[in-house]
Amino acid sequence: MFTFKQFSVDDALTAMKVGTDGVLLGAWAAGGKRILDIGTGSGLIALMMAQRFPEAEIVGIDIDEDACRQTRMNADSSPFGNRITIVHASLQDYVKTIPGASFDSIVSNPPYFQNSLKSPDSKRTSARHNDSLSFRDLITGSKALLKHDCTLSIIGPDTAKNDIESEAIINGMTVSNIVRLKTKSTKQPSRFMMQIVNGFTNEFSNTTEVLNEADGSRSEWYHELTKNFYIK
């Protein structure tokens, strides 16, 4: 059980556990009145978006039935449960059920290991590998569900950044914000966060941030980003 300032997250039923990536994306992603969380897992990001945007309605989808059940339990034990809807579906199937662009914001901490050794745990494999959700499917599905000029926010390994940016461009979307993430100032970036607009924008920001100081404490940037969530 992970306890944040306004809610708690139990991830016992989910293949992918609560981690730094989810917290970073949940604290940073663009919002709106109607938000979709693709691959909601334990519901961490959905809950963070509900806290950040008090007027928002959030839909979380996941291909794993246990993850959906876990998210529903976490949402119901939070102050935001009445604004969070959980759907057991893949993105590919979910797109077929929605009549046109419906969301002001989409967030996703997607599966990203394309060629790495797979886990014998089938649920963990589905959560970590993009066999069930390729970068192309993520981008095309998001484009179909996003309103014009609205934003997809994602996080992933730095090695996937160029592939995702290329898919966005091919599909008529525009990268508006990239934050490359270093665990320490002496390291190379290992992660990125990206905001992709459904349409064209002249706005563009490309920065690099450090998560931890030399002594292991959170950097000022990381602290400011997450201070409304972490208890310490």
Side-chain angles (χ1 to χ4, degrees):
M1 181 74 73
F2 293 81
T3 302
F4 297 88
K5 286 186 175 180
Q6 295 190 32
F7 59 86
S8 296
V9 176
D10 185 349
D11 61 4
L13 299 179
T14 62
M16 292 302 292
K17 305 305 181 182
V18 171
T20 301
D21 283 9
V23 174
L24 286 167
L25 183 63
W28 179 82
K33 291 184 177 180
R34 197 155 188 263
I35 300 170
L36 176 65
D37 178 18
I38 299 172
T40 193
S42 63
L44 169 65
I45 294 173
L47 288 161
M48 293 180 74
M49 297 299 280
Q51 178 180 323
R52 288 178 59 207
F53 302 99
E55 303 301 317
E57 298 289 332
I58 293 94
V59 177
I61 65 171
D62 204 289
I63 197 170
D64 181 57
E65 189 172 3
D66 285 339
C68 292
R69 189 162 74 251
Q70 184 87 85
T71 299
R72 186 69 267 162
M73 290 188 292
N74 288 331
D76 287 344
S77 65
S78 79
F80 320 118
N82 64 334
R83 295 192 285 116
I84 298 176
T85 301
I86 306 303
V87 180
H88 176 214
S90 67
L91 174 61
Q92 296 91 329
D93 288 339
Y94 185 68
V95 168
K96 299 173 185 176
T97 71
I98 303 298
S102 299
F103 292 95
D104 305 294
S105 165
I106 296 178
V107 294
S108 185
N109 179 9
Y112 48 76
F113 293 117
Q114 299 186 81
N115 301 307
S116 59
L117 184 65
K118 296 186 178 181
S119 167
D121 183 335
S122 61
K123 287 187 177 182
R124 188 168 177 81
T125 293
S126 179
R128 292 174 66 86
H129 288 260
N130 72 354
D131 292 5
S132 58
L133 182 63
S134 67
F135 296 146
R136 178 168 297 174
D137 286 347
L138 174 63
I139 295 299
T140 57
S142 296
K143 181 176 178 62
L145 294 170
L146 268 177
K147 295 176 182 177
H148 186 67
D149 288 339
C150 290
T151 302
L152 164 66
S153 303
I154 61 175
I155 190 167
D158 203 66
T159 52
K161 180 173 66 66
N162 291 341
D163 288 340
I164 293 175
E165 189 169 5
S166 295
E167 288 293 344
I169 293 168
I170 290 169
N171 283 278
M173 303 175 80
T174 308
V175 175
S176 62
N177 194 350
I178 298 173
V179 179
R180 300 179 74 193
L181 301 165
K182 297 182 177 184
T183 54
K184 294 183 178 180
S185 60
T186 56
K187 302 286 188 178
Q188 291 297 310
S190 58
R191 291 282 187 273
F192 74 92
M193 295 191 293
M194 184 181 293
Q195 293 179 352
I196 303 170
V197 175
N198 186 16
F200 177 77
T201 177
N202 285 317
E203 296 181 5
F204 180 69
S205 174
N206 188 351
T207 59
T208 300
E209 301 291 350
V210 177
L211 298 181
N212 300 307
E213 304 291 356
D215 63 1
S217 62
R218 294 185 196 111
S219 67
E220 182 178 356
W221 177 85
Y222 188 11
H223 170 74
E224 285 298 314
L225 182 68
T226 58
K227 65 182 180 182
N228 291 328
F229 299 97
Y230 285 135
I231 293 175
K232 294 183 180 180

